[in-house]
Amino acid sequence: MARKERPLEGEDGPLRQFAAALRRLRHEAGSPPYRDLAARAHYSVATLSGAASGRRLPSLDVTLSYVRACGGDAHEWERRWHAVAVRLSAQAPEPEEDPGEAGETGAHGTPYVGLAAFRAEDAGLFFGRERLVEDLLATLARQRVVALVGASGAGKSSLLHAGLLPRLEARDAHRAVRVLTPGPHPLGRVRQALAAHRADDGELVLIVDQFEEVFTVCADPDERDGCITALVEAARQPGSRCRVVLGVRADFYAHCTRYPALVEVLRDAQVLVGPMSAAELRRAVVEPARRAGLTVEGALQATLVAHAHGQVGALPLLSHALLETWRRRRGAALTLDGFHAAGGFEGALAQSAETLYASLSVRRQRLAQQVFVHLIALGEGTEDTKRPVARDELDEDADTTAVLARAARLRLLTLDDGRVELTHEALIRAWPRLRGWLTDDRERLRLHRRLTDAARAWEALGRDPGALYRGTRLELARDPAATRPIGLTPVERAFLEASTAAEAAAGSAARRR
């Protein structure tokens, strides 16, 4: 006869409901004694009975062993376990980084940076790409313009900031190194960086990270041409003391081949970023923890390396999973149980995003949808990409500010220099809800992007009446259904109001005639 279990204690909640469901499963299996379950599950009696106690969420492995021993559906229970983990994460206090953590941590206050790229300040925690940094340095010594090409998620930005930049500065104290991203006005940024370099500053190395923004964020073809010409001429003119490094996403490489000047200088000056080897991945996982006085459980090391090995765009998912596992560490150890509680390799990022969404009120959920969708450039023969925007481009009230702040604390968004952007494009691929928003409203989003570009051009031209919408374009843009899921920025709203007023004035003039 199976010993009767103690009644579940505490208030009703996800943990208590989960434990009650496990107990029902055991009852439906004929209430086998825990000694029998232990023999089938290969876990101790105490571990299995604790799983159904309701005091804490058991590990995923313990849960599935319990379920299989009772003849349950392991796939269904895995889904249920992750749902409970998401609810518990949403109820947990806001994660705080511990600035007093023993050992070395990066600029972010942790041994892992999550979705964010490594910065120069994080160089002490950047491991696994040593050989590629040497290849990039050797190529740059031979060539005046070099392209670092790799898929989204391959780690190009981290390699430039935490790998190349510190090595360049350490090699030659008289060398000036400047890093920029193109943004909507890349020519101005390039000219500013070149003008800031004085002749007695020594050689200049200009690193242009996320060079694909020249094609995705810059809407002016003439400015795009001017930016590319300025970069090539700065490096190739007689007596030049400037070298240029371009970080380019692989699916935008074909865009570079449309410019003869780029084709000529990059013919033999490309460094390709591929997937990390198993040994490199292990260093990337273990060394930052060791520097912070932590250990990584052997089973967790094996699991992470197995998931990421051979996957060229997996590094943001790996880094985010490590960060969330670190937050669930047991003492000084990062464990496989903590990894599963975080949502696993691909689920950790989706779980973090769902935790954010579930914690918001209905109004703030709607604002979150508008913000995240607004920060994505729809691909034309390429994958969708992140789209940095100026904060004043958003219609920011107290609720929007709260959404931005919470998303930034979870490192889903980056707020920097008056700009807002997705911390990494991996979020587009990993968060099903965001993919659904982009899929369901894709045509509306394309219409809205055209409105955004037209409004920005109108603003840049000093609100020239000749740049306003008229006729069918205005009628489509004014349709409330076209912009309801996205929302209008202040500039877009002013643009539509001015277009409507101009059309009304033209109609009145026609009637008077």
Side-chain angles (χ1 to χ4, degrees):
M1 171 85 61
R3 178 167 57 86
K4 191 172 182 180
E5 291 185 288
R6 293 179 181 178
L8 291 169
E9 299 175 356
E11 61 184 35
D12 191 32
L15 271 181
R16 196 173 188 276
Q17 293 167 6
F18 190 77
L22 282 175
R23 292 185 177 196
R24 281 196 302 274
L25 179 66
R26 177 175 172 240
H27 176 72
E28 291 166 0
S31 299
Y34 273 109
R35 286 193 307 275
D36 293 351
L37 289 183
R40 301 175 200 167
H42 305 294
Y43 276 101
S44 69
V45 169
T47 299
L48 293 176
S49 61
S53 67
R55 291 190 294 270
R56 66 184 183 90
L57 183 65
S59 73
L60 180 59
D61 284 342
V62 169
T63 299
L64 297 183
S65 296
Y66 187 111
V67 167
R68 292 189 185 101
C70 293
D73 183 341
H75 180 75
E76 167 61 22
W77 275 90
E78 182 173 358
R79 184 198 61 77
R80 189 180 294 190
W81 186 93
H82 283 296
V84 173
V86 168
R87 293 178 64 188
L88 292 176
S89 295
Q91 292 174 0
E94 197 67 46
E96 296 288 344
E97 316 301 3
D98 182 2
E101 191 70 32
E104 182 175 349
T105 57
H108 306 270
T110 72
Y112 302 105
V113 301
L115 286 183
F118 284 82
R119 297 182 287 192
E121 308 93 287
D122 304 311
L125 301 173
F126 183 64
F127 293 94
R129 286 299 198 187
E130 293 82 1
R131 182 178 58 81
L132 195 55
V133 171
E134 292 297 336
D135 289 347
L136 184 54
L137 283 167
T139 306
L140 186 59
R142 298 191 308 268
Q143 305 288 345
R144 305 205 68 83
V145 183
V146 177
L148 182 71
V149 183
S152 174
K156 299 181 299 301
S157 293
S158 295
L159 197 147
L160 292 172
H161 287 262
L164 178 65
L165 177 57
R167 290 293 303 277
L168 288 172
E169 292 178 338
R171 278 189 170 191
D172 186 352
H174 300 292
R175 174 188 284 137
V177 184
R178 290 187 171 82
V179 184
L180 62 86
T181 52
H185 301 294
L187 180 56
R189 292 192 175 188
V190 169
R191 284 175 172 169
Q192 184 178 7
L194 295 173
H197 182 67
R198 301 190 305 271
D200 56 354
D201 286 343
E203 186 176 61
L204 169 67
V205 178
L206 183 59
I207 300 174
V208 185
D209 189 18
Q210 300 175 46
F211 183 68
E212 63 272 6
E213 286 188 5
V214 169
F215 309 109
T216 62
V217 180
C218 176
D220 184 347
D222 292 335
E223 179 155 6
R224 185 181 306 131
D225 292 347
C227 170
I228 293 171
T229 300
L231 287 170
V232 173
E233 288 183 352
R236 296 291 299 275
Q237 63 186 352
S240 171
R241 303 187 69 192
C242 175
R243 296 179 188 270
V244 175
V245 182
L246 307 177
V248 187
R249 230 177 70 174
D251 52 336
F252 283 90
Y253 188 73
H255 290 63
C256 297
T257 64
R258 299 171 188 167
Y259 297 85
L262 275 182
V263 172
E264 182 182 351
V265 296
L266 296 180
R267 195 182 311 276
D268 301 309
Q270 303 160 41
V271 177
L272 303 182
V273 184
M276 296 171 78
S277 69
E280 290 172 334
L281 286 167
R282 199 171 296 277
R283 281 180 57 77
V285 169
V286 173
E287 287 301 320
R290 187 180 65 78
R291 291 289 184 95
L294 304 170
T295 61
V296 182
E297 192 177 75
L300 175 58
Q301 292 182 40
T303 299
L304 290 170
V305 171
H307 276 297
H309 188 232
Q311 304 298 317
V312 70
L315 295 185
L317 299 178
L318 173 66
S319 189
H320 185 79
L322 279 165
L323 174 62
E324 293 302 314
T325 304
W326 173 83
R327 286 179 172 148
R328 294 161 177 81
R329 63 196 181 278
R330 189 173 61 223
L334 277 67
T335 66
L336 188 60
D337 282 353
F339 168 74
H340 285 312
F345 189 75
E346 295 184 350
L349 181 50
Q351 183 167 304
S352 295
E354 279 300 305
T355 296
L356 165 71
Y357 190 77
S359 70
L360 302 175
S361 65
V362 172
R363 167 174 163 70
R364 289 184 176 181
Q365 286 180 344
R366 187 169 62 253
L367 289 172
Q369 177 180 356
Q370 293 176 2
V371 167
F372 277 95
V373 166
H374 198 71
L375 297 176
I376 295 170
L378 301 181
E380 298 286 352
T382 61
E383 292 183 5
D384 295 341
T385 61
K386 64 180 183 177
R387 172 180 172 265
V389 302
R391 275 188 86 143
D392 57 13
E393 188 176 318
L394 302 174
D395 194 0
E396 193 171 343
D397 55 14
D399 284 329
T400 305
T401 300
V403 169
L404 292 176
R406 181 160 174 77
R409 283 196 296 272
L410 290 171
R411 300 196 185 164
L412 302 174
L413 297 182
T414 300
L415 314 179
D416 191 25
D417 285 338
R419 300 202 313 173
V420 184
E421 62 180 311
L422 298 183
T423 302
H424 201 281
E425 286 149 352
L427 186 63
I428 304 173
R429 302 187 295 271
W431 189 14
R433 187 182 298 276
L434 179 55
R435 288 205 311 273
W437 290 337
L438 295 173
T439 300
D440 294 345
D441 294 307
R442 203 158 188 85
E443 288 310 310
R444 291 176 180 175
L445 288 172
R446 292 193 189 283
L447 178 64
H448 185 263
R449 286 292 176 270
R450 289 194 286 270
L451 169 63
T452 299
D453 292 341
R456 283 165 59 184
W458 172 69
E459 184 80 1
L461 293 170
R463 301 200 168 191
D464 180 0
L468 294 171
Y469 270 180
R470 290 175 174 78
T472 303
R473 285 197 302 173
L474 177 58
E475 185 179 346
L476 288 172
R478 277 192 311 207
D479 182 359
T483 55
R484 187 182 298 119
I486 307 132
L488 293 172
T489 67
V491 171
E492 291 163 1
R493 194 176 296 113
F495 174 77
L496 283 182
E497 289 171 355
S499 297
T500 301
E503 185 171 72
S508 297
R511 284 193 295 274
R512 284 196 301 273
R513 287 197 299 273

